[in-house]
Amino acid sequence: MRHHILSFATIICITAFSLTARAGIDSKYYKKIADKVWASTDPAFDSAAVIPDSLTESNSGVIIAWSDDIDVDHEVQTTLNTISGQTNRISKKWTNRIMVKLLDQSAIDSHSEFEFGEKKQVKFMERVLLYDLKTAFGVRVHKPDGRIIEIDLNDAIEIGEGKKGKDNRTYKIAIPGLEPGDVLDYFRFTEEMAETFSLEPQNLVLCARYPIMNRKINLAVDPAITVEYKCYNGVPPLSRGTTERGSLTASLSLMNVPSVNFEKFTMKFRQLPFIRVQYLNNIDKLYISKNSRGGGLHGDVFPGRIISELRDYLYNYEIETKAGAKALKTVKDNFLKANPEASPRQIADAAWLALMYQDLTSKGADTKSSDEFERALVFSDMLRKLKIYPDDQIGIGIINPRSDVPVSDISAWDESNFVIRTPDALYYIPLHTAMSPGELPGDFYGEGAVLYFGDRKTWTTLTPIKEYALPHRKASENSAVFRDTITINDDKVAVKSMLKMSGAVKSLYSDLTEVPEWASEVEDYFDIPENRRFRDKSYDPASRSKELKTMLKENGVSHYGKNPEKVTEAVVKDRGIRPDSTDIVVESAMEFDGLVEHFGDDLGLTVGMLSGVPTRLSDNERSRILDVMLPFINQEIHSMLIKAPDGYCFDEASVEALQRNISDVTAQFNVQSKINAQGDLELNTLLRYKQADVALAFWPRLLKVLDEAAAFGNASVTLVKKQ
Amino acid sequence: MRDFRLICFMIFVAFLTAAASDNVSIREKNVTYELKAEKGRLSSVKKIEETHYVAERADELIMVAEFYDDRLTIDKASAPGAKPIYRSWESTDLFFTGSRICAMAVSLKKGKPVKVCFEQTYTAPEQFTDIILAPDAPITGKATYTVIVPSQLAESIILTPRNLPQGVDLSCTTGKSGDKTYSITLSDQPKFEPEPLCGSATACAPRIEISGYFKDTEDLYRYLKGHVADDEPSSTVAALSRQLCEGMDTDMERIDTVAAWVRNNIRYVGIEHGVYAFRPEKADVVLEKRFADCKGSANLIRAMLQAVGIDCRLVWIGSRFDTTGSWSENPSLSAGNHMIAAAMLPDTTIFIDGTIKMAPAGLIPSAIAGQPCMIDGGDTPLLGTVPEQAPDVNKIILNGELEIDRNCLNGIYEATYTGQERLNLENIISSRSAYARTGVLERLMAFNRKGVKTGAVNLKSPALNAPATSVTFEESDPSGIRVLSSGKIYVLPRPFRAAEFTRINSEHRHSPIETGRKKTFETKLSINIPEGYVIDSLPEKNIIKSAWFEGFVEYLPLPDGHSVVCEAVLRSTRDHGEPDEANSWNEAIKEIEKISNTPITIKPL
């Protein structure tokens, strides 16, 4: 059923409908559009606009004006090619125009080449035009002396696909004559049409790496078509109106939007202003539409309405897959028989693993869930059939990570992830190979969720929505703990390491486990006989072992401050996916160069490098204008035992000098060091992020901790030659 | 002008895309190049390549691919169960090359060889210049490359093997009709992987150079020269040149001025498909567009200098790391990939590369320094050689005043960059957006030392073609101080901190070592001894004399007893070495690091 609500971008990717492209720039079409755009009398597009010094001082460019004009229409025409005898088209014309002053060479370099000319058509059975995309482009240069140079697109170079290079042509042009001080004025025009289906949603971003003097958005919508928009992160309300021809309008005009040129600790969908627009064809009865609202322009739809729509889809959905039945059989035959006393939580965990196993390993389309939506329903039905919890305590919910908008603020119900809640746990529904039952990826913790409880077939319009806050996890529950034994051999440093990852940190390491490895662990858990186990003939343990070593070698810098020269051993001892074993454990042996220094007879060992502290933030990352948002709080611990080489002992003062302790409400960095009875150095470092959201006023305090940690990166201990 | 060489590289890349893991090997490979003659000259080359891939341990899906364009066609691409797809494939550093890729996803079942077949035709035979023998997967059986030369071409076409693995030879048999069949067989060869510090992958890969399409250098010259249109620049070009050079007394001033203007006002945009691989854009057009590739820039320099009375010509050249041999030794398109200009002064020739933005006046970049070249000489070429870079042209000079406290070695520094070091620094900075420049400079001045805090950075950029750029900055280096239990303090000024050389794996090294360019590092640091401390020991003067470097480090106490001056010079004496010198390279770096990291020892009074 869900495929009925696919939008056209997806269809283009997955269908084998005829895909055609017409060759050549349609000069008339381009000229018509360009004439219209350049004829605009919008005073914001003033190439001679006075730009304040404050904007030019530390920027390579300034956007004088940036507009998005979007017209959405409904087209009904008579046709012999549809059952209804009529077309039902949603068409969108989008003009994106930017006027930017180029202040230096780097701005010229990033605005000197353009690609354009994309066209696409999708036809069904070579007859019915289902999708059509046409684009146009224009660019001109305003010289400081007032000259306007329109760039001749006939100078563009054609890029073609296909054996003869004649298919799917696009074009590339290098802008001639650009000099610092020029103002570049360019537009991209996109005309898109979808028959019956909806168009892809669109995010209209309101800030950029350059400051924007004027930012404008204008939407005009045929009342027959459903267009919804939602404003995020401080975007002021749009002005609404109606045009003479009856189109509904919404517009926004902003001035002096500051540049955003930092990325670290920023969640763009939570912090940067943007508008998300949904273009929905709700008229056709053949397909299930994305929402229940009629035609018109709907602004900032109350989230409760969107969540209610989810309830209707869940209610109506008919499960077609046998995945649930097969997974239930695994639970009954391979778990319950062996564990008749299992608790509801244990049974639910086994059911989650069994369904994931089914969906990850099954080759048949009818024996696995078609998508996350179906998997959520299958799993909730499995729990009901297992009768381990009362029906009204099993909830289907939607959640969003911190990297997306809050679930309480979604603009369409299918923009979220699904979760199943029981009285004991939350079960994350997307496929993942690094989590045990009941775990969530790190960036979901502490976020909001909305849930429906009970048997979905009993739901009515009065069935209440439960709002719910996903639990927070402490930093200590999201840990990466390294236990390293370090020996110095001549100028090389050998590290034998055991890395244990728990909680949210695990979700970053799904690469450590491939599906056959994951399946093998689950098969062991269920004690599945050898002859019924999943076989992936393309799985090669030898290549995989090599790949793992390469991964550790190339990513060493994230945990050790530099990449090792060699990784001689790398084994995943525990994948952290079973209910009875939730931590990922990796054992490795590696060798580093360049950490040993010679001070005459004495040696220096740069132990700071082995503590994996972050690099000092660069200038532009230090001066931010937004609060700090981390994906989750966590801690990294390095517990090192550093053996003194024969003939050397650790200098006590240098050992003592390693100690650090800076603790703030935002973060903590701590280093403890001591020489043990064997004369070896025990060095423990801890970097803990305590708050996932840090107000801008507290940024200097977090920065101070991070700077202290970064400064430790070169900390060294001295080994004195024994007399 | 890079295009013809690019094709070779693309073929090389095509191999590389075939298999990523060592699970896949080549059981058998047969590649045949059949040369066709027309009127006694090579007219086309048919390439038939059959490769039997096998997945040794597990099934695998591999992607096999060949590159093609308008002059190297794909005639056939087949593999069981695979359907070729044809896409454009543009290089990231060029604007447009017109290259395309034919790729197939081939499913391999464990232990069952699968034959992949490509047939291609070189329709522009002059561009059949190399056969790259770099296997993308280990050859567990045999790979045979055969070149069939018809009798009409038997005397003219010459095959020269380069970088072949030990024990591999090129053989030749002559048939009854006079046809020659060259053959080379590789067996049990590892997968080819480019090594660090090896120049370009194409240059260090095993390969066979093909020459003979052009009878001699003059024939090749006529071909290249044939692509240079008659170019009578408009008065605009001349006017600009005269305006720039107004009031200048010497030709050298004019040359430097025009070179700097072109380098810094003409954006590099490489458009190199078809004839554009060889045809310089007209000077007028370049000036109007303000962008060009190397040929266009060279042509504009030529026109501008001619406008002020200097005899300036186009020069065809090969960059050091991508080409081998000279036009005279190897009259083939593979000997060149670049174009510069040459000002023919009465007593000397000045070579001018138009693509090096922010270059100091007179700089000859290392990529063309010492390279053989071919100067436009009218009907016949003038063969010459670009001069080597002058000694000590590429320098980083570090001067500083250092203060010791118990936690840090603090310093106020000035780093001065000359020659190519200056060019690199300025280009890194100017390519970054304004807001990011300070951060980039801070990181650069930390010279890759984690934990070092740099601040108050200030870039002093004089004229675009000035000989040097200076950066002043402050630094706080916690790792520069080591306090010992005895009360002694090790002080580490690290005079060679700017000399960041990369060690290489010396085991089984097969490629020559290319370090890029010769550089010199000069350091003068004044270290103030804090109150209550005296110098315990100073490192003895260290003389550096290795196979790769020379120089010294010397610490001298000043008579006041409260400061030490560290003077150091490090000069790389070579920028090229043989594969078996990898160990000596590593040892030389180790020695430098050791000497640079030798501390001053101070102790309490």
Side-chain angles (χ1 to χ4, degrees):
Chain A
M1 285 266 287
R2 187 144 193 241
H3 58 275
H4 289 154
I5 53 166
L6 288 176
S7 61
F8 256 90
T10 326
I11 289 174
I12 290 164
C13 298
I14 63 171
T15 60
F17 297 148
S18 64
L19 198 66
T20 57
R22 283 161 289 168
I25 294 175
D26 184 345
S27 300
K28 273 190 183 170
Y29 178 70
Y30 273 53
K31 186 173 181 315
K32 188 179 95 183
I33 306 293
D35 287 348
K36 197 173 162 192
V37 173
W38 301 145
S40 159
T41 53
D42 187 341
F45 286 89
D46 174 10
S47 62
V50 177
I51 300 174
D53 290 348
S54 59
L55 295 186
T56 58
E57 266 166 15
S58 57
N59 289 295
S60 293
V62 174
I63 297 172
I64 295 171
W66 173 7
S67 69
D68 286 296
D69 293 294
I70 300 165
D71 274 290
V72 189
D73 278 312
H74 183 228
E75 292 176 6
V76 180
Q77 294 167 355
T78 305
T79 175
L80 294 173
N81 294 323
T82 65
I83 297 165
S84 65
Q86 283 192 321
T87 62
N88 170 19
R89 294 176 173 179
I90 180 167
S91 78
K92 182 179 100 176
K93 290 174 185 162
W94 169 35
T95 311
N96 169 240
R97 182 181 177 191
I98 295 177
M99 178 181 269
V100 56
K101 181 147 183 144
L102 310 173
L103 299 173
D104 65 19
Q105 194 57 44
S106 92
I108 289 176
D109 290 346
S110 47
H111 288 86
S112 57
E113 294 170 9
F114 289 88
E115 278 190 61
F116 63 95
E118 193 192 1
K119 284 180 187 176
K120 274 196 184 101
Q121 278 194 349
V122 177
K123 285 183 177 175
F124 180 64
M125 304 292 285
E126 296 291 332
R127 295 180 70 187
V128 184
L129 183 61
L130 290 180
Y131 178 77
D132 191 23
L133 171 76
K134 263 199 297 193
T135 58
F137 170 74
V139 56
R140 55 188 192 175
V141 180
H142 297 256
K143 290 290 185 184
D145 61 8
R147 282 179 299 141
I148 300 174
I149 299 165
E150 186 142 359
I151 305 304
D152 185 354
L153 298 181
N154 290 315
D155 291 341
I157 288 167
E158 190 176 276
I159 300 171
E161 309 267 302
K163 197 168 179 181
K164 303 278 182 197
K166 305 289 182 196
D167 306 333
N168 301 334
R169 294 179 202 196
T170 55
Y171 303 88
K172 231 177 157 180
I173 192 157
I175 308 298
L178 280 183
E179 295 170 290
D182 287 350
V183 172
L184 195 72
D185 188 4
Y186 64 96
F187 73 86
R188 290 183 184 279
F189 177 76
T190 308
E191 192 170 5
E192 226 179 342
M193 183 287 292
E195 170 69 44
T196 304
F197 291 89
S198 298
L199 289 169
E200 279 286 284
Q202 182 177 19
N203 287 339
L204 300 168
V205 179
L206 297 179
C207 59
R209 65 186 162 137
Y210 298 153
I212 306 166
M213 292 172 66
N214 296 282
R215 178 73 176 101
K216 296 189 169 192
I217 286 170
N218 294 301
L219 273 167
V221 175
D222 184 326
I225 287 294
T226 309
V227 173
E228 297 184 1
Y229 64 85
K230 199 158 187 72
C231 301
Y232 291 98
N233 307 322
V235 176
L238 273 59
S239 303
R240 299 288 297 267
T242 309
T243 63
E244 282 177 8
R245 64 180 176 112
S247 291
L248 305 170
T249 62
S251 58
L252 176 71
S253 181
L254 297 175
M255 291 175 76
N256 299 326
V257 183
S259 59
V260 175
N261 45 39
F262 50 87
E263 293 175 357
K264 192 101 178 158
F265 305 137
T266 305
M267 298 285 170
K268 64 176 183 177
F269 288 132
R270 292 287 172 101
Q271 296 184 279
L272 303 181
F274 74 101
I275 302 169
R276 183 169 289 167
V277 190
Q278 308 271 352
Y279 306 98
L280 307 168
N281 192 340
N282 278 352
I283 296 163
D284 204 286
K285 303 297 177 207
L286 276 176
Y287 300 96
I288 287 183
S289 59
K290 249 183 175 179
N291 76 9
S292 56
R293 281 164 294 291
L297 183 57
H298 304 267
D300 293 326
V301 176
F302 180 59
R305 293 194 64 178
I306 296 168
I307 306 295
S308 301
E309 285 157 13
L310 167 66
R311 178 195 54 215
D312 297 342
Y313 295 122
L314 290 168
Y315 178 88
N316 287 317
Y317 193 93
E318 297 299 332
I319 296 172
E320 290 166 5
T321 176
K322 294 172 194 154
K326 285 187 166 288
L328 268 180
K329 189 170 182 327
T330 304
V331 175
K332 286 173 183 168
D333 295 352
N334 296 82
F335 183 77
L336 288 175
K337 279 182 188 169
N339 302 281
E341 303 299 319
S343 67
R345 165 74 200 252
Q346 288 170 321
I347 298 169
D349 285 356
W352 183 85
L353 269 184
L355 180 60
M356 294 289 151
Y357 178 76
Q358 190 62 34
D359 284 352
L360 276 167
T361 61
S362 179
K363 290 191 173 75
D366 58 341
T367 51
K368 60 181 173 186
S369 316
S370 60
D371 55 20
E372 194 185 329
F373 182 86
E374 187 171 65
R375 191 175 309 113
L377 292 173
V378 168
F379 186 55
S380 66
D381 283 4
M382 279 174 68
L383 292 177
R384 250 176 279 285
K385 284 177 184 162
L386 284 166
K387 298 188 185 305
I388 48 178
Y389 299 113
D391 267 3
D392 62 0
Q393 292 188 24
I394 301 168
I396 298 178
I398 53 173
I399 53 176
N400 252 4
R402 290 165 66 80
S403 54
D404 203 344
V405 300
V407 78
S408 58
D409 232 0
I410 53 174
S411 63
W413 62 264
D414 62 341
E415 286 175 357
S416 296
N417 296 120
F418 285 88
V419 70
I420 299 298
R421 183 169 182 241
T422 70
D424 297 323
L426 284 155
Y427 293 93
Y428 185 65
I429 292 302
L431 297 172
H432 206 288
T433 58
M435 288 186 304
S436 58
E439 282 188 320
L440 297 171
D443 50 359
F444 284 91
Y445 284 102
E447 290 300 298
V450 289
L451 297 144
Y452 281 104
F453 283 93
D455 182 349
R456 65 192 169 103
K457 292 298 179 190
T458 67
W459 291 347
T460 69
T461 50
L462 298 175
T463 303
I465 304 164
K466 296 269 172 65
E467 286 191 31
Y468 178 75
L470 300 175
H472 285 275
R473 286 187 75 127
K474 294 178 190 165
S476 57
E477 292 173 306
N478 302 328
S479 281
V481 181
F482 293 78
R483 299 197 184 285
D484 295 344
T485 304
I486 295 160
T487 49
I488 302 167
N489 305 312
D490 192 16
D491 281 351
K492 297 196 183 302
V493 172
V495 178
K496 272 191 88 69
S497 172
M498 188 185 78
L499 163 60
K500 187 171 161 184
M501 287 174 280
S502 59
V505 174
K506 286 167 61 186
S507 53
L508 306 176
Y509 289 88
S510 54
D511 284 359
L512 287 174
T513 300
E514 283 196 340
V515 168
E517 295 159 341
W518 183 92
S520 174
E521 286 259 324
V522 174
E523 285 159 342
D524 287 347
Y525 180 73
F526 284 122
D527 201 17
I528 291 175
E530 201 59 39
N531 61 350
R532 282 180 46 215
R533 292 192 167 207
F534 170 66
R535 291 274 177 275
D536 180 351
K537 290 182 177 173
S538 66
Y539 179 70
D540 174 21
S543 294
R544 182 67 183 145
S545 170
K546 201 172 167 185
E547 191 177 75
L548 197 57
K549 286 178 189 165
T550 307
M551 275 164 62
L552 293 187
K553 187 171 186 298
E554 291 176 354
N555 296 306
V557 67
S558 58
H559 292 307
Y560 288 106
K562 68 178 294 190
N563 288 337
E565 305 307 310
K566 263 188 213 169
V567 175
T568 53
E569 188 189 322
V571 184
V572 180
K573 300 295 275 191
D574 198 330
R575 302 192 181 276
I577 54 176
R578 292 166 48 148
D580 53 352
S581 181
T582 58
D583 294 334
I584 297 177
V585 178
V586 182
E587 287 184 1
S588 60
M590 54 201 110
E591 205 172 272
F592 290 88
D593 267 352
L595 298 180
V596 178
E597 295 172 308
H598 291 259
F599 307 145
D601 288 340
D602 299 344
L603 297 177
L605 175 66
T606 313
V607 288
M609 197 67 87
L610 296 169
S611 67
V613 290
T615 306
R616 188 180 155 83
L617 290 180
S618 63
D619 191 48
N620 59 300
E621 295 287 357
R622 300 172 78 83
S623 49
R624 54 188 298 132
I625 54 171
L626 296 173
D627 293 343
V628 169
M629 279 192 82
L630 307 180
F632 52 83
I633 54 171
N634 69 305
Q635 65 181 24
E636 185 163 318
I637 293 170
H638 286 255
S639 181
M640 297 176 243
L641 177 68
I642 304 169
K643 305 261 191 187
D646 285 346
Y648 288 89
C649 60
F650 286 99
D651 178 82
E652 281 181 20
S654 75
V655 169
E656 204 172 306
L658 293 173
Q659 300 194 358
R660 307 276 194 283
N661 190 20
I662 175 164
S663 186
D664 183 68
V665 288
T666 58
Q668 178 186 3
F669 180 62
N670 179 279
V671 181
Q672 293 174 1
S673 57
K674 71 168 188 186
I675 301 169
N676 68 15
Q678 289 73 43
D680 298 329
L681 171 61
E682 289 178 11
L683 179 66
N684 297 297
T685 67
L686 162 75
L687 177 60
R688 177 183 289 159
Y689 293 91
K690 293 180 178 175
Q691 302 286 340
D693 297 305
V694 177
L696 186 59
F698 281 67
W699 169 236
R701 296 167 67 159
L702 174 58
L703 194 57
K704 194 175 169 193
V705 179
L706 296 177
D707 281 350
E708 184 78 18
F712 189 73
N714 243 13
S716 172
V717 68
T718 308
L719 290 131
V720 182
K721 182 111 177 159
K722 287 178 183 168
Q723 298 301 317
Chain B
M1 181 82 175
R2 287 195 277 188
D3 201 37
F4 50 81
R5 192 68 189 181
L6 191 71
I7 292 169
C8 307
F9 179 67
M10 289 188 310
I11 294 163
F12 170 70
V13 173
F15 283 112
L16 285 182
T17 56
S21 83
D22 62 356
N23 175 42
V24 175
S25 66
I26 295 169
R27 192 62 64 84
E28 187 184 347
K29 186 180 190 82
N30 292 301
V31 191
T32 305
Y33 295 85
E34 190 176 349
L35 280 58
K36 303 217 165 115
E38 214 169 81
K39 295 178 185 169
R41 192 153 199 184
L42 181 63
S43 60
S44 68
V45 179
K46 177 78 177 175
K47 176 189 173 190
I48 300 173
E49 179 178 0
E50 290 178 356
T51 309
H52 298 255
Y53 290 101
V54 66
E56 300 285 357
R57 298 184 298 271
D59 297 355
E60 188 153 337
L61 186 71
I62 61 168
M63 187 64 78
V64 292
E66 287 289 349
F67 288 86
Y68 68 104
D69 59 19
D70 292 342
R71 292 154 298 159
L72 173 61
T73 61
I74 293 273
D75 308 326
K76 180 185 171 188
S78 68
K83 189 180 172 193
I85 53 167
Y86 300 88
R87 294 282 182 270
S88 66
W89 186 277
E90 289 298 325
S91 157
T92 51
D93 65 339
L94 294 175
F95 182 72
F96 185 69
T97 63
S99 59
R100 300 193 287 276
I101 187 171
C102 169
M104 292 185 285
V106 180
S107 176
L108 302 180
K109 300 288 175 201
K110 181 183 165 187
K112 293 182 181 165
V114 170
K115 185 169 93 172
V116 174
C117 181
F118 283 102
E119 290 184 18
Q120 294 185 269
T121 303
Y122 289 82
T123 56
E126 68 276 17
Q127 297 190 21
F128 177 59
T129 58
D130 283 282
I131 297 172
I132 308 286
L133 311 170
D136 59 320
I139 300 171
T140 52
K142 284 186 176 174
T144 305
Y145 296 80
T146 307
V147 182
I148 302 166
V149 183
S151 56
Q152 302 98 304
L153 304 174
E155 295 306 312
S156 59
I157 296 293
I158 297 161
L159 277 68
T160 311
R162 303 272 182 206
N163 306 333
L164 292 191
Q166 272 194 336
V168 176
D169 293 312
L170 178 69
S171 65
C172 179
T173 57
T174 306
K176 284 178 188 168
S177 60
D179 294 2
K180 278 187 176 172
T181 302
Y182 293 89
S183 177
I184 202 161
T185 300
L186 304 174
S187 52
D188 298 323
Q189 289 292 320
K191 174 181 169 181
F192 176 79
E193 287 176 290
E195 295 171 305
L197 299 189
C198 75
S200 76
T202 316
C204 66
R207 68 186 195 284
I208 302 168
E209 262 175 23
I210 315 285
S211 57
Y213 175 81
F214 298 106
K215 284 184 207 124
D216 50 28
T217 311
E218 291 201 3
D219 191 22
L220 169 65
Y221 170 73
R222 279 192 292 277
Y223 173 86
L224 292 171
K225 172 94 172 156
H227 286 86
V228 179
D230 288 338
D231 190 4
E232 276 302 317
S234 68
S235 56
T236 318
V237 171
L240 171 67
S241 188
R242 287 187 200 116
Q243 181 199 331
L244 291 169
C245 299
E246 195 179 343
M248 291 178 181
D249 297 328
T250 67
D251 283 345
M252 281 312 298
E253 281 179 289
R254 293 181 192 103
I255 290 167
D256 288 342
T257 302
V258 166
W261 192 90
V262 171
R263 286 167 178 167
N264 295 295
N265 288 281
I266 303 301
R267 218 165 66 234
Y268 181 84
V269 174
I271 301 175
E272 306 206 324
H273 61 301
V275 292
Y276 294 103
F278 307 103
R279 177 185 295 167
E281 186 60 275
K282 289 189 170 187
D284 282 343
V285 178
V286 174
L287 182 60
E288 187 194 334
K289 288 186 171 176
R290 297 282 179 117
F291 66 73
D293 58 14
C294 59
K295 304 181 294 293
S297 298
N299 207 22
L300 180 59
I301 289 173
R302 176 181 73 158
M304 288 176 75
L305 288 179
Q306 282 178 345
V308 291
I310 295 172
D311 176 10
C312 189
R313 322 231 183 137
L314 296 178
V315 180
W316 291 265
I317 191 167
S319 71
R320 195 177 111 198
F321 308 113
D322 297 310
T323 57
T324 51
S326 65
W327 299 109
S328 54
E329 290 166 1
N330 176 24
S332 150
L333 293 178
S334 69
N337 64 347
H338 190 35
M339 182 176 272
I340 58 174
M344 316 295 282
L345 300 185
D347 51 350
T348 185
T349 301
I350 305 296
F351 293 93
I352 311 152
D353 189 328
T355 63
I356 44 173
K357 195 174 282 185
M358 310 294 280
L363 178 77
I364 294 171
S366 57
I368 59 167
Q371 287 297 97
C373 64
M374 190 160 63
I375 304 169
D376 184 348
D379 292 338
T380 55
L382 301 173
L383 296 177
T385 303
V386 175
E388 294 284 358
Q389 285 191 325
D392 293 342
V393 71
N394 305 316
K395 264 192 207 177
I396 300 178
I397 303 161
L398 186 68
N399 291 323
E401 291 272 339
L402 281 63
E403 298 282 346
I404 300 162
D405 75 19
R406 278 191 71 82
N407 299 315
C408 261
L409 186 59
N410 300 319
I412 298 170
Y413 293 91
E414 181 176 51
T416 303
Y417 290 69
T418 71
Q420 213 153 323
E421 309 310 315
R422 187 251 179 193
L423 179 152
N424 290 353
L425 177 75
E426 290 278 13
N427 278 293
I428 289 170
I429 299 304
S430 66
S431 69
R432 304 301 298 261
S433 278
Y435 65 80
R437 283 176 201 148
T438 305
V440 171
L441 263 179
E442 283 176 355
R443 276 201 296 281
L444 287 173
M445 293 305 113
F447 297 110
N448 220 10
R449 291 165 301 151
K450 211 172 176 180
V452 169
K453 183 181 164 189
T454 50
V457 288
N458 184 24
L459 181 81
K460 289 191 275 185
S461 284
L464 291 170
N465 64 347
T469 290
S470 290
V471 185
T472 55
F473 61 100
E474 293 174 11
E475 177 186 289
S476 181
D477 177 12
S479 73
I481 296 293
R482 307 294 158 83
V483 182
L484 301 184
S485 307
S486 59
K488 288 182 183 176
I489 298 177
Y490 287 145
V491 181
L492 292 133
R494 299 185 204 277
F496 294 143
R497 67 183 73 169
E500 298 173 83
F501 292 107
T502 311
R503 294 184 202 211
I504 50 179
N505 187 356
S506 56
E507 288 173 34
H508 315 299
R509 171 93 187 180
H510 53 75
S511 307
I513 301 160
E514 294 287 353
T515 70
R517 61 185 173 274
K518 294 175 193 165
K519 304 176 195 177
T520 302
F521 303 90
E522 291 179 3
T523 306
K524 188 170 183 181
L525 303 173
S526 170
I527 304 129
N528 294 323
I529 310 297
E531 286 293 325
Y533 282 84
V534 290
I535 296 166
D536 181 55
S537 66
L538 292 178
E540 288 180 7
K541 181 172 181 177
N542 259 305
I543 305 287
I544 300 161
K545 187 76 187 165
S546 69
W548 294 88
F549 300 100
E550 63 181 27
F552 69 92
V553 180
E554 188 170 23
Y555 291 86
L556 295 169
L558 291 187
D560 63 3
H562 292 298
S563 47
V564 174
V565 171
C566 168
E567 286 192 10
V569 173
L570 177 68
R571 185 175 288 116
S572 51
T573 52
R574 296 162 63 196
D575 51 12
H576 175 90
E578 296 307 315
D580 60 5
E581 291 183 290
N583 209 31
S584 81
W585 168 254
N586 289 340
E587 287 300 317
I589 296 172
K590 191 173 161 184
E591 184 193 9
I592 294 165
E593 287 172 353
K594 200 169 175 179
I595 291 171
S596 184
N597 294 340
T598 304
I600 300 168
T601 312
I602 60 173
K603 62 182 179 186
L605 270 172

